[in-house]
Amino acid sequence: MCFRNIESFSGTKQEFDIIDFSVIRQAMIHEEKKSTIFNLSLLPEPDFSRALIAFSEALSGVRAGDYVLGRHSLPHVTVLQFAGQEHEAMSLWDRLKEMRNRIFYIDYLGLALDPWDQSYCLSLRVRKTRELENLQNEALRLFDRRAYFNGLGADYDPHSTLLAWDAGSSIPSFPVDRQLLGRRGVKAHLSLGLSGPRFQFARSLF
């Protein structure tokens, strides 16, 4: 999970807000102590997921990171990430019954580098479609009022993180699998899972 695109690898820069990550981190630690962090996400179809994992592993061979896709860090596009109890998660998932069997379509764009919590995150940007916006809005409508750890509404920034590493280290050149860039209409399904220590999608519950 990363925040804010600061530079795409096409070379274009965008303005971004200065975020006090220490405040965000303290809020997350506070919530973690009281409850579990859940991640409502879209998981792409198996073939594309395997390709993303292979790309992430290849990148980690060039720049070792503490967020690498794999068995306990599944490729995903976060819809909502929040703290709660297991019985709450089951109740929330039940409310999403009309969405659980839907097929969603993801349009992947280019690579981007994002700063987050003293780290750099490399991710595939995802087109913010009306379908994604409607999905997040509907989930928010069905869920209880609670704190969320990802952007909402105008601040929603859909992406799929590939790798994260210490921001104090340099950014090396790395191989790019161009077959993954600009992929349109990748099928995906909705899943509710547990977040890992780096707020990755660690395990699917439903």
Side-chain angles (χ1 to χ4, degrees):
M1 174 182 175
C2 301
F3 297 89
R4 304 288 182 182
N5 179 29
I6 58 168
E7 182 177 2
S8 71
F9 283 89
S10 63
T12 59
K13 293 183 178 293
Q14 300 178 9
E15 293 183 356
F16 63 97
D17 299 330
I18 301 300
I19 301 174
D20 187 346
F21 289 108
S22 64
V23 173
I24 294 175
R25 169 60 71 181
Q26 288 303 314
M28 288 180 169
I29 291 173
H30 178 65
E31 291 296 336
E32 282 184 283
K33 289 179 179 178
K34 299 189 301 179
S35 53
T36 301
I37 307 298
F38 295 95
N39 196 330
L40 180 69
S41 288
L42 291 176
L43 305 187
E45 57 191 4
D47 286 348
F48 194 76
S49 288
R50 284 190 288 269
L52 290 179
I53 290 172
F55 186 29
S56 176
E57 290 175 342
L59 291 171
S60 71
V62 176
R63 162 58 64 209
D66 55 6
Y67 184 125
V68 182
L69 295 180
R71 183 176 179 183
H72 300 294
S73 182
L74 302 178
H76 67 283
V77 177
T78 296
V79 178
L80 293 174
Q81 192 158 194
F82 58 92
Q85 303 297 328
E86 187 171 349
H87 70 276
E88 291 181 291
M90 294 178 67
S91 175
L92 295 173
W93 183 246
D94 186 61
R95 298 177 203 177
L96 292 168
K97 56 187 176 183
E98 293 186 5
M99 302 182 194
R100 296 195 308 234
N101 294 322
R102 279 182 55 187
I103 299 297
F104 295 87
Y105 295 90
I106 300 174
D107 290 342
Y108 289 89
L109 305 175
L111 291 169
L113 184 68
D114 299 83
W116 181 69
D117 191 31
Q118 300 182 345
S119 295
Y120 285 129
C121 299
L122 185 66
S123 63
L124 272 177
R125 303 247 61 89
V126 168
R127 189 182 305 281
K128 186 177 179 180
T129 62
R130 181 64 60 85
E131 182 181 44
L132 281 180
E133 290 181 295
N134 289 344
L135 172 58
Q136 187 186 70
N137 289 336
E138 182 64 10
L140 285 169
R141 186 184 69 81
L142 294 171
F143 283 15
D144 299 325
R145 293 181 61 85
R146 61 182 65 239
Y148 294 96
F149 299 144
N150 63 292
L152 305 177
D155 292 326
Y156 181 40
D157 179 27
H159 60 275
S160 187
T161 302
L162 298 167
L163 188 74
W165 66 90
D166 184 358
S169 57
S170 62
I171 304 172
S173 59
F174 53 83
V176 175
D177 187 344
R178 297 189 179 277
Q179 294 183 21
L180 300 179
L181 305 183
R183 286 285 294 273
R184 303 289 192 269
V186 175
K187 292 182 180 179
H189 70 276
L190 193 64
S191 180
L192 180 62
L194 295 175
S195 291
R198 293 290 286 163
F199 302 98
Q200 68 270 45
F201 195 100
R203 179 164 64 90
S204 179
L205 297 174
F206 307 103

